[in-house]
Amino acid sequence: MLTISKLFIYPVKSLGGISLSEAEVTDRGFKYDRRWMLIDENNQFLTQRVHPQMALFKLEIGGDGLSVTHPERGEMHIPFEPVEAQLSEVVIWEDTCQAVSVSREVDAWFSDALGLTCRLVYMPDSTKREVDQRYAPKGMITSFSDAYPFLMIGQASLDDLNARMEIALPMNRFRPNIVFTGGIAFEEDRMNHIRIGGTIDFYGVKLCARCVMTTIDQQSAKKAKEPLKTLASYRSREKKILFGQNLIHQGSGFVKVGDPLEVLSTHTEERFIVGGS
């Protein structure tokens, strides 16, 4: 039996994640997941890939907003409703979309903590950022995630990886939204149509290509060679290192830790088959 074991959201893109016992599914992913994003002076998104110190920011959800803490700069409150609400065109990978400024106070705090000029923006409901149309139906949207609203990883897959390395790594290196237990390592690779909790349908659309971000310790912000070095030895396809499955969905409601995960169909396409899966 496959069972949901962990749920995560990452309200501000590339900052710390929040573990939840249940998560609300919205039109563009879990509620609050990557609805905020830091941008530079050219309105380009900031990422741990370039600024690993972003890992040091930890978040919590409060009644009226987010609480962000930094080990040296203390705490900052981010309201759910932006104070400035000034529209800007922001760039995330190849996409350009509209976002609203949060507040000058928040901008100054993040700029001071990161040591660079930046602004925090929020994606309003009016912004509809479509996922990559090569792998998903037209009209599917996401927030400020890299490409898709959900990333799912099986605990067995991480266990398999850790068994091959000298030092075991936690799941937070891979920043999933959904983790499940049961089954075999990399079973998620071939999941096509799944149902969680008997109510919400999810569809696997693309294996997740991993980058240097997985090598950043989420507590210290220090970089190393693992896990990419080990993953490259058995999880490579077409010069990409693959770990986890990107999902889209139909329906709304809540997903809870402990919910059953039912596999309704599996992939047969070659692109979902990787050595070791």
Side-chain angles (χ1 to χ4, degrees):
M1 181 174 178
L2 307 181
T3 306
I4 302 304
S5 57
K6 295 177 182 178
L7 298 167
F8 298 96
I9 59 172
Y10 310 87
V12 181
K13 184 176 180 63
S14 258
L15 302 192
I18 299 174
S19 178
L20 302 175
S21 59
E22 70 173 21
E24 182 177 353
V25 178
T26 74
D27 60 346
R28 68 197 72 203
F30 285 148
K31 186 176 182 180
Y32 302 131
D33 188 43
R34 297 176 178 94
R35 289 299 291 264
W36 291 264
M37 180 172 72
L38 288 164
I39 58 174
D40 64 16
E41 293 178 286
N42 297 313
N43 287 6
Q44 296 269 350
F45 79 107
L46 299 182
T47 169
Q48 275 190 45
R49 298 168 181 84
V50 180
H51 308 284
Q53 68 268 33
M54 293 175 74
L56 299 177
F57 294 89
K58 307 305 177 188
L59 286 80
E60 294 182 359
I61 298 175
D64 60 350
L66 307 175
S67 174
V68 185
T69 57
H70 185 272
E72 296 178 359
R73 304 299 178 181
E75 184 176 352
M76 173 55 66
H77 176 73
I78 300 174
F80 287 141
E81 293 295 328
V83 175
E84 300 284 323
Q86 179 181 347
L87 277 173
S88 300
E89 294 283 330
V90 301
V91 178
I92 170 173
W93 298 115
E94 289 80 28
D95 296 335
T96 299
C97 57
Q98 287 194 327
V100 295
S101 301
V102 174
S103 81
R104 294 181 182 179
E105 180 186 10
V106 169
D107 294 345
W109 187 81
F110 274 112
S111 296
D112 180 58
L114 285 170
L116 56 91
T117 300
C118 62
R119 291 193 296 134
L120 185 71
V121 295
Y122 173 77
M123 177 182 281
D125 290 343
S126 57
T127 293
K128 310 292 185 182
R129 179 182 171 232
E130 289 195 339
V131 302
D132 190 333
Q133 296 296 295
R134 292 175 296 173
Y135 304 105
K138 186 174 178 59
M140 302 303 298
I141 63 173
T142 188
S143 56
F144 289 131
S145 64
D146 277 352
Y148 299 95
F150 303 97
L151 173 63
M152 182 175 68
I153 298 175
Q155 182 63 46
S157 302
L158 179 61
D159 294 344
D160 181 276
L161 170 62
N162 281 335
R164 300 167 187 258
M165 299 197 304
E166 292 184 8
I167 300 176
L169 297 179
M171 187 64 81
N172 67 13
R173 287 292 188 95
F174 303 94
R175 299 174 71 83
N177 297 107
I178 301 169
V179 180
F180 66 91
T181 55
I184 61 175
F186 308 109
E187 188 168 351
E188 64 271 20
D189 286 3
R190 303 196 192 188
M191 291 182 185
N192 178 23
H193 180 190
I194 66 174
R195 185 168 293 154
I196 297 177
T199 57
I200 303 176
D201 292 323
F202 295 84
Y203 302 87
V205 291
K206 187 176 181 292
L207 300 186
C208 186
R210 309 316 303 230
C211 68
V212 68
M213 197 162 169
T214 60
T215 69
I216 300 170
D217 187 309
Q218 294 298 295
Q219 299 303 316
S220 67
K222 293 181 179 179
K223 281 186 178 182
K225 292 183 179 180
E226 294 290 11
L228 292 183
K229 181 180 178 182
T230 297
L231 282 173
S233 69
Y234 77 118
R235 290 292 301 173
S236 292
R237 180 179 174 84
E238 297 179 354
K239 298 182 179 180
K240 293 182 179 179
I241 298 171
L242 303 169
F243 192 82
Q245 168 94 271
N246 290 300
L247 309 177
I248 57 174
H249 73 292
Q250 287 184 332
S252 59
F254 289 85
V255 173
K256 301 177 182 179
V257 170
D259 278 348
L261 187 160
E262 182 182 4
V263 181
L264 302 179
S265 68
T266 56
H267 290 294
T268 57
E269 291 178 63
E270 190 72 17
R271 67 187 179 93
F272 293 98
I273 300 173
V274 185
S277 67

